[in-house]
Amino acid sequence: MRRSTKLAAVVLSGSLGIASLAACGAKSTDDTTASAGASGDSGIKVGMAYDIGGRGDQSFNDSAARGLDKAKADLGVQITEADAKTGEAEADKETRLKSLVTGGYNPIIAVGFVYQSAVEKVAKENPNVKFAIIDSASSTQPANVTSLTFSEQEGSYLAGVAAANKSKAKHVGFIGGVQSELIKKFEAGYVAGAKSVDPNIKVETTYLTTPPDFSGFSSPDKGKEAAQGQLDKGADVIYAAAGSSGSGAIEAVSNKAGTWAIGVDSDQASQPALSKYKNVILTSMVKNVDTAVYTYIKSIKDNAPLTGVKNFDLKAQGVSLATTGGHIDDIKAKLDAATTAITSGATTVPTAP
Amino acid sequence: MTSSHSADDGKPADGTSAEGAFADGPPSDGSSGAPGRGGAPAPAKPTAAKRFDGERIALGLAAPVLAVLLSLVICSILLLVSGKNPFDAFDVMLTYGTKSDGQVLTLNRATVYYLAAAAAACGFRMNLFNIGVEGQYRIAALFAAYVGGQMDLPAVIQIPLLLITAMLVGGLWASIAGLLKVYRGVSEVISTIMLNAIASAVVGLLLVPGIFAPEKGTTTNSIQTNPVSASSHFFSIETAGGTLWGFIVIAVIVGVLFQFTLNRTRFGFDLRATGRSETAATASGVNVKRMVLISMAVSGALAGLIGLPDLLQNSFYYGQSFQAGLGFTGIAVALLGRNSPIGMVFSALLFAFLDVSGTQLPLPQNGAFPFEIVQVMQGTIVICVVVAYELVRRYGLKRQQQKVGAELAALAASTAKKEVSA
């Protein structure tokens, strides 16, 4: 009995000791002097925090990276990047953003909706730093946060139209990376597009993971397995909205003759890492994150920063279908008709499946 | 019963831990303890026992230290091969570790890891491999978040209510595996792993607008429960380095209770006895089935607490990006801490420090190290620790035998001398 009370005392005093140590030490942010504008042509230092997968995912993050690179080349801004890892704590995201703030970066662009609460928190603590978040908006976010969102369902609708027109078996597939609201928009648009061509078409739907497991965006093996499953069921055009997992799906499709894959976010047929599969990539639903990122950085440079929620839809060229390889040239008329129907408002694409 | 076979692998390391680093066993525990003590002659007892304890502490510490050093070497080689200076990387991590904000983050993270490790260790101590901590804490946190969002009672009632909700849900979820093992002989390793997948699906089913999430959310593209009421917010300590979570007190209480129950109660004795040898425990009157049910439920209840620090101190809601994987981290932390309530404090702090300071590595101002290095470090620590425990255990056994041999020889010599002189 006595020993356990002694033990409790030791543990308690130990933890309090560490706690008090923490209280008196210097903060890691103390010694860094905010030196924005000290170097670089334009004096603008842009920090970008990537979603899981990071630069090199051949998809979503790469699209954002292209916008950043273009801003660096054209606008002369200084850039820095930070990656996220799978299964990290909320605090890790906040630390990442805070480190960028400490490094003197302003604006800071967070790529992906998983950053929403972290951006809100850090933005409130740093009202003089401008933040942009891609793919997400919140009614509680402070004024120094700009949301850059896209009408993914409209681009996916066109992908659905293309898939239905190219499918010989009248059987197409959809692979979602993570069963989140965002990816459900892709599914909704794709299914609606396919059904608009042929109401009886069969659509297979597979999600790789369910939140909070976001590994579905960065697991090519899972993508390959899911695509193989859909091919075995008879689908011959597969649209994978799954970040870097999509490359696995494309690989699976390339192993079966007469089938097509549809890429996502970037023009995947022209991505170096995927160029060997370019003959099976029918098209890609390009989400012009690069345009959005570039537009945002330019607006900062021009001293007229974008604020609030900025949505990039089909009309604003925020989403489009890639034509690399010319595989969809033969159905161009049908796609143009669908595009006009959406931009004119004649067709409203659903956002939920 | 197949599980008890697979469990044997983990047993040697566990076996030494009971009388391992901290020689706190009561005299009655001697039967399980060192054979050397029983055979030791009376005259040399005080000093020998003292020395032996010091050696035991050294031996207990040797394995984790060896493992950490080994993993540092492996990571250094990896960094060197990729053309980076490993000492720069360690310097970045250590520097951040000396800063107050880094320390606060480390303590907050260690709180979570310690709870996760305690949940896992509770089962491990009786050879019950609860791999389902992962699913248990997620489903428990979801329900706690829902209850916290629905009710707004005074904090003195609200917070205990949420703690109990989470522990109850976690315990019930874990009990499914316990019941299956006791009544159907299903290995808890298999059933808990599968229950993890089912828990993910259940969370996915419930966390949709109209059920646990509000019909009209405040954000686009991410779904979360209503934020918990203000009365649910757990107390926290404001320091120069940021907010220190008050939940650290809960973690300390859990640790103390764990240590007390394990070493000072009949239940704890039964638990350890069952872990050592099920048949022996049965023979001495322990109801093993009951023990399995109880320890599984307790393990799950502790798991229920894992998600609460973040829920009640940081995010205040359960969203789709709620951190996953803590259950598996907990298993690693428990393994490194030899399932000992005190050992796990150090391993939780180490893992927390690695994770927190690891976030600084990829930043360009720090040299843009790959952050995977931290994961490599943690992985190698876990592998090395298993190897190191076995090496140290064998060495300890050899030392013990040598000592007993020497003492017996001395005894024989002295009696022989007496006989001669008589």
Side-chain angles (χ1 to χ4, degrees), chain B residues 83-352:
Chain B
K84 304 260 186 192
N85 182 351
F87 291 103
D88 284 350
F90 301 145
D91 183 51
V92 166
M93 294 175 76
L94 281 178
T95 311
Y96 191 64
T98 60
K99 305 292 185 188
S100 60
D101 49 348
Q103 286 166 348
V104 167
L105 283 175
T106 304
L107 283 177
N108 288 347
R109 194 71 62 88
T111 302
V112 176
Y113 287 175
Y114 187 77
L115 289 171
C122 183
F124 288 171
R125 258 338 224 326
M126 68 167 274
N127 266 343
L128 203 58
F129 282 69
N130 180 8
I131 312 294
V133 175
E134 180 70 20
Q136 288 148 21
Y137 91 81
R138 269 152 62 173
I139 207 159
L142 174 67
F143 275 87
Y146 180 67
V147 172
Q150 296 300 309
M151 298 206 208
D152 191 4
L153 302 167
V156 278
I157 308 171
Q158 177 89 357
I159 288 175
L161 177 78
L162 293 183
L163 291 181
I164 290 168
T165 307
M167 291 178 79
L168 210 62
V169 173
L172 284 176
W173 192 255
S175 294
I176 299 174
L179 289 169
L180 281 174
K181 183 178 172 72
V182 168
Y183 292 108
R184 282 288 169 267
V186 180
S187 161
E188 79 283 0
V189 177
I190 310 289
S191 60
T192 49
I193 288 178
M194 290 184 161
L195 279 167
N196 280 345
I198 298 173
S200 288
V202 170
V203 170
L205 270 178
L206 292 177
L207 193 62
V208 290
I211 303 185
F212 274 18
E215 199 70 67
K216 181 98 184 70
T218 54
T219 59
T220 55
N221 290 336
S222 65
I223 287 193
Q224 58 242 344
T225 61
N226 275 323
V228 294
S229 61
S231 64
S232 316
H233 294 191
F234 206 78
F235 81 93
S236 56
I237 304 157
E238 286 304 326
T239 68
T243 311
L244 181 68
W245 293 348
F247 233 84
I248 196 166
V249 175
I250 300 276
V252 170
I253 292 173
V254 165
V256 170
L257 280 181
F258 190 10
Q259 173 80 5
F260 177 76
T261 313
L262 211 56
N263 293 319
R264 290 288 180 278
T265 64
R266 187 179 158 182
F267 173 78
F269 181 78
D270 286 356
L271 190 117
R272 284 181 296 144
T274 318
R276 294 289 179 76
S277 163
E278 209 170 284
T279 40
T282 316
S284 59
V286 176
N287 185 344
V288 172
K289 286 187 172 180
R290 204 173 130 257
M291 290 302 296
V292 169
L293 284 178
I294 294 179
S295 54
M296 204 65 194
V298 171
S299 182
L302 286 178
L305 292 175
I306 299 171
L308 295 190
D310 188 59
L311 181 67
L312 305 183
Q313 310 235 251
N314 187 41
S315 63
F316 304 120
Y317 58 75
Y318 187 101
Q320 287 181 326
S321 55
F322 198 83
Q323 192 186 6
L326 289 171
F328 297 115
T329 311
I331 292 173
V333 172
L335 190 66
L336 180 63
R338 310 183 97 180
N339 299 323
S340 135
I342 301 170
M344 290 188 308
V345 172
F346 294 106
S347 58
L349 282 170
L350 176 67
F351 265 59

Side-chain angles (χ1 to χ4, degrees), chain A residues 3 7 21-23 25-28 80 83-85 87 89 92 99 113 117 121 135-139 181 212 214, chain B residues 24 96 99-101 103 109 138 218-221 223 240 259 314 317 320 322-323 342 359-360 363-365 371:
Chain A
R3 197 171 301 173
L7 186 92
L21 214 152
K27 275 174 87 167
S28 70
T80 195
D83 275 343
K85 61 177 185 219
D92 290 340
S99 306
F113 66 86
S117 54
K121 210 172 205 173
D135 271 355
S136 185
S138 158
S139 54
E181 293 315 291
F214 284 90
Chain B
D24 52 0
Y96 191 64
K99 305 292 185 188
S100 60
D101 49 348
Q103 286 166 348
R109 194 71 62 88
R138 269 152 62 173
T218 54
T219 59
T220 55
N221 290 336
I223 287 193
Q259 173 80 5
N314 187 41
Y317 58 75
Q320 287 181 326
F322 198 83
Q323 192 186 6
I342 301 170
T359 58
Q360 299 298 306
L363 297 171
Q365 64 259 38
F371 60 71

